[in-house]
Amino acid sequence: MKENDFVGLHRNDLSSSPNCSSEFHIRFIVSHDFAELTLAGKYVALSPDDIVMASSAQPINIINRGAPVKLSVFSECLHAPTPLNLVVVGDNPMVHDLMNAGEQTLRFIVYRQLRNQITQRYFDLLAELDLQDVFIDYQREMTVGLLMTELLRHHEERISITDSYFPGKNIRHVNADTQSGMIFTYLVAHNADATLKETACYFGYDKNYFSRLCRRLFNKSFSEQLTFIRIELAKRMLAFSNKRIEQIAAELGYKNNSSFFTAFKREVAITPNDYREQHGYRLAHQHINDN
């Protein structure tokens, strides 16, 4: 990634903070336009006002695919306990598990279309508080805490579990949101060939019990949830890539175009061709730039 490939980088760029040794590192990536990223090897397509919250002291690689990426990236370091610690973590189970999972493996939560003036003002304040000063550092950390409490208010309706990344298999002692995120992460990675038996075995459960767990978490059966994930991935590929529909169908595990078209139209109510024509924002943007 080159510096002119994005805008608005703040606070120690994308590497770990040299002054943070035992604290919790967190990064916020704010998208100002349509962008395509690769985080921890996972493809993430962002729209304007999307926010990624990532935990890790490791560098984050953002791959530019075409036009310059318009992002703001904030690299922060939180100390515990702080006056906001209980507020930030206590009522937000997914963030709680994000912070307690450790920093060796990159994990992230994606908030979709968070058009919120309070959130934006906190990010503006973080951009302004970009000085090396003990008092500024304190104000900055408190601002991050307030920002996270504001994200907490939009936890259920704005977090995209499909796009969030929670690798791992130990789901027995985490909250339901994180269980959903970890199962989602596995199914996204194995969408073409995942089965109920193999997925249950991966997470250490009996097939029948895991089937009931999926029904409780997602309010749908395992096969219905897998279809939902495949269609969501198809929608992103149709809108953000030049892949042929036949290629998309094959990558998602459909044996032929007919079965893919049937499943897609049943879930979305329009054909893949019509969806691409209506929602191919990135493709249209690239076409304008190329001309």
Side-chain angles (χ1 to χ4, degrees), residues 12-283:
N12 299 320
D13 64 23
L14 300 179
S15 60
S16 61
S17 173
N19 296 322
C20 298
S21 55
S22 60
E23 300 84 355
F24 180 76
H25 300 81
I26 193 164
R27 290 178 178 83
F28 299 96
I29 303 172
V30 185
S31 180
H32 306 295
D33 203 340
F34 296 100
E36 296 175 89
L37 316 179
T38 299
L39 304 178
K42 176 181 171 61
Y43 172 82
V44 181
L46 298 179
S47 300
D49 302 310
D50 288 351
I51 297 171
V52 180
M53 182 168 65
S55 69
S56 178
Q58 305 301 318
I60 297 176
N61 295 319
I62 300 178
I63 296 180
N64 180 20
R65 302 171 182 264
V69 179
K70 298 179 180 178
L71 305 169
S72 294
V73 182
F74 300 84
S75 181
E76 306 299 332
C77 180
L78 301 180
H79 299 78
T82 72
L84 296 174
N85 188 56
L86 294 178
V87 176
V88 170
V89 176
D91 293 326
N92 195 330
M94 200 167 189
V95 174
H96 178 275
D97 290 331
L98 184 81
M99 297 179 73
N100 283 313
E103 300 182 3
Q104 297 305 312
T105 301
L106 177 66
R107 294 170 173 82
F108 56 84
I109 298 173
V110 178
Y111 291 84
R112 289 293 181 188
Q113 297 181 332
L114 199 59
R115 296 184 180 91
N116 180 288
Q117 291 185 358
I118 298 177
T119 301
Q120 185 56 54
R121 285 201 292 269
Y122 285 140
F123 280 124
D124 290 342
L125 182 56
L126 287 177
E128 185 176 346
L129 295 172
D130 197 20
L131 300 172
Q132 295 297 325
D133 178 278
V134 63
F135 297 105
I136 294 294
D137 288 344
Y138 177 81
Q139 294 178 61
R140 187 180 185 89
E141 189 165 351
M142 293 302 100
T143 302
V144 172
L146 291 169
L147 169 63
M148 293 177 70
T149 62
E150 181 61 17
L151 293 176
L152 166 62
R153 290 206 305 132
H154 303 278
H155 175 70
E156 293 185 358
E157 69 268 29
R158 289 304 184 188
I159 282 183
S160 173
I161 297 180
T162 309
D163 297 295
S164 300
Y165 184 65
F166 269 77
K169 60 174 65 176
N170 185 13
I171 64 175
R172 293 180 182 273
H173 304 295
V174 296
N175 73 88
D177 285 338
T178 304
Q179 286 182 327
S180 300
M182 293 172 75
I183 295 172
F184 257 101
T185 295
Y186 178 87
L187 292 180
V188 168
H190 300 84
N191 67 84
D193 55 6
T195 66
L196 174 61
K197 182 178 180 179
E198 290 175 351
T199 306
C201 181
Y202 175 82
F203 288 106
Y205 285 108
D206 169 78
K207 181 179 71 172
N208 293 329
Y209 178 85
F210 188 74
S211 177
R212 295 193 296 272
L213 175 64
C214 288
R215 174 71 70 175
R216 185 168 72 248
L217 291 174
F218 306 121
N219 199 30
K220 52 173 72 82
S221 69
F222 174 86
S223 61
E224 290 171 337
Q225 188 59 43
L226 182 58
T227 296
F228 169 79
I229 289 174
R230 286 173 172 171
I231 298 304
E232 287 299 303
L233 292 173
K235 288 160 64 176
R236 283 157 177 73
M237 286 189 274
L238 288 167
F240 287 90
S241 80
N242 288 306
K243 292 181 179 179
R244 293 178 295 106
I245 292 178
E246 295 83 357
Q247 182 181 357
I248 293 174
E251 288 184 8
L252 295 176
Y254 290 95
K255 295 181 179 180
N256 53 61
N257 286 348
S258 177
S259 59
F260 172 59
F261 269 70
T262 299
F264 192 93
K265 190 170 183 179
R266 183 176 62 246
E267 297 293 323
V268 189
I270 59 177
T271 67
N273 288 318
D274 290 339
Y275 186 89
R276 168 165 274 174
E277 187 168 336
Q278 294 178 20
H279 299 279
Y281 305 114
R282 184 66 170 176
L283 294 177

